[in-house]
Structure formats: structure tokens, C-alpha cells
Amino acid sequence: MTETPSSRAFEVRHVQVARAVFAAIAAVMITFSSDHSAAVGLAVFSGFTLATSLVHFAAAWLVYPAGSRWPSVLLGLLSAAAGMAAGIPPWRTTTLFFVVVVAWAVLTGIVELIAGIRGVRGDAASIPSRTEARDALVTGAITLVFAVATVVVSPEYSLTYTIDEAGTFELTGTIIAVGVLGFYTAIVAVHLGIAGASPRPRTSPAETAAHDRAAEQKGADA
């Protein structure tokens, strides 16, 4: 017997809240860290993406029906690969930070954006809930904006400045990029947290489209 969404113990809202929690942890770790080096940024990014990949894999297995699991599987694989690459200490360089973070953001942003668009349009082989599809579309768009913002930052950028009675400091492209990562995870945490806590209809896009077609046919027959 196929489980209906209402009978599942692990639902979409749980996936969104879990993702929000891990994003919030990453945001807090970056915000309250005095070290915004590539090594620290990659360490936080590795933990964030690996934890998120587990959420995606759990969602593919426990939440979505067959035929609608491809977004979660792809997002899980991409996040796991990025997390493992960023998790190797000898590889934690400035170049790797920009390459891995941008590649992950572009690929996962595109996957989530496409899944959201297909879900909103009522594609049966995509996200089954219209509300969740909109949330995925927004998350994908935010992730792509994050990718663009990171690309704009030059790894070679360096600015030395002095503050009276405080000393001389240096602002680098890596520090800015790690800060952008923290800002991104904070936004995602808020967005997914609100989405997970918000009430949502149970009707899927496919069901809504079928209902609309039936109503149109009934009107035509009349």
C-alpha cells in the first residue's frame, strides 16, 4: 500500500526544518569566528554540505514517492561530493574554496530551481507539492545569487587599513567570500525555517491540474 503524504512520519516540513538547522549552525559558526580563512570556511562548508546531503538522502527515501526523488538524490550527491572535497585538510586552500563553493552553488542552485519550476507547473515527475515547489524555486534562486556573489569576489583582493588605537588589519577576498557564505547560510536558514513552520495545503500540482481540467471539461459539456 502506498503511503499518502499525511501518513508519513517524516514530511517535507521536517526536511526543510532540518536543512534550516544545519544552515543556521553554519551561519553562527562563521559569524562568531574571528578566523575567516579558507581553511575555516571549507571546514564549516564541509560540515554543512555533508549534513545537508544526509537530509536529502533521507528525504528521497522517506518523503518522496518513486518518480519524484531525483531532486533530492541529485542534491544529496552534489552536496556529499562537495563536502568530502572540502573536508580534506591538506586541500583547504583559497583556490579550492572558491572552486568547490561556486561549483556546488551553481549545480545545486540549478537543480533546485529546475525542480521548483517543474513542480509549480504541475509536472508529475517532480516535487509533488506546489507550496514546496515554490520554496525550492526560491532556495535555488538564492543559491545561484550566492554563486554569483562569490564569483564577483576576487581571491587576490587585499586591503590593508589602520584603526587608531586598534592596530593594522588586512581585508582579503577570502575573508569577504567566507563572510558571504555565512550570510547565505543565514538567509537559507530563515527562509527554510519559515517554510517548514508554515501551514501548507495537501493538494499536489498534478491533482490541482487534473481538477482544473475536469472543471473545464464539465463547463464545455454544459
Side-chain angles (χ1 to χ4, degrees):
M1 182 176 67
T2 303
E3 283 187 306
T4 62
S6 59
S7 65
R8 295 178 184 272
F10 195 56
E11 299 181 0
V12 171
R13 67 174 66 252
H14 302 136
V15 175
Q16 292 174 325
V17 170
R19 290 181 63 186
V21 168
F22 290 127
I25 292 173
V28 169
M29 291 178 69
I30 291 175
T31 301
F32 292 98
S33 173
S34 59
D35 184 357
H36 281 191
S37 64
V40 172
L42 283 170
V44 175
F45 177 76
S46 176
F48 164 64
T49 50
L50 287 174
T52 301
S53 71
L54 295 178
V55 175
H56 286 307
F57 289 138
W61 180 259
L62 299 173
V63 176
Y64 298 109
S68 300
R69 294 170 179 163
W70 65 268
S72 290
V73 172
L74 275 179
L75 291 170
L77 290 173
L78 291 170
S79 295
M84 287 187 287
I88 302 175
W91 292 6
R92 290 175 180 170
T93 63
T94 298
T95 300
L96 183 72
F97 176 85
F98 280 89
V99 170
V100 171
V101 171
V102 171
W104 172 85
V106 169
L107 294 174
T108 58
I110 290 174
V111 170
E112 204 145 20
L113 192 68
I114 292 174
I117 292 172
R118 292 182 62 179
V120 169
R121 290 179 177 176
D123 191 332
S126 189
I127 298 175
S129 165
R130 189 180 298 275
T131 303
E132 185 204 349
R134 293 195 191 99
D135 295 335
L137 196 156
V138 172
T139 304
I142 292 172
T143 304
L144 288 176
V145 170
F146 163 60
V148 172
T150 306
V151 169
V152 169
V153 178
S154 172
E156 288 80 24
Y157 176 80
S158 179
L159 173 65
T160 301
Y161 60 96
T162 302
I163 299 177
D164 294 339
E165 300 181 0
T168 301
F169 304 90
E170 183 181 16
L171 178 65
T172 65
T174 302
I175 292 175
I176 296 173
V178 173
V180 172
L181 172 61
F183 185 63
Y184 161 74
T185 52
I187 292 176
V188 169
V190 172
H191 168 63
L192 291 177
I194 293 174
S198 301
R200 64 193 64 215
R202 297 290 184 180
T203 306
S204 69
E207 291 171 338
T208 301
H211 180 271
D212 292 342
R213 286 194 297 270
E216 291 174 359
Q217 184 62 40
K218 184 177 179 180
D221 293 341

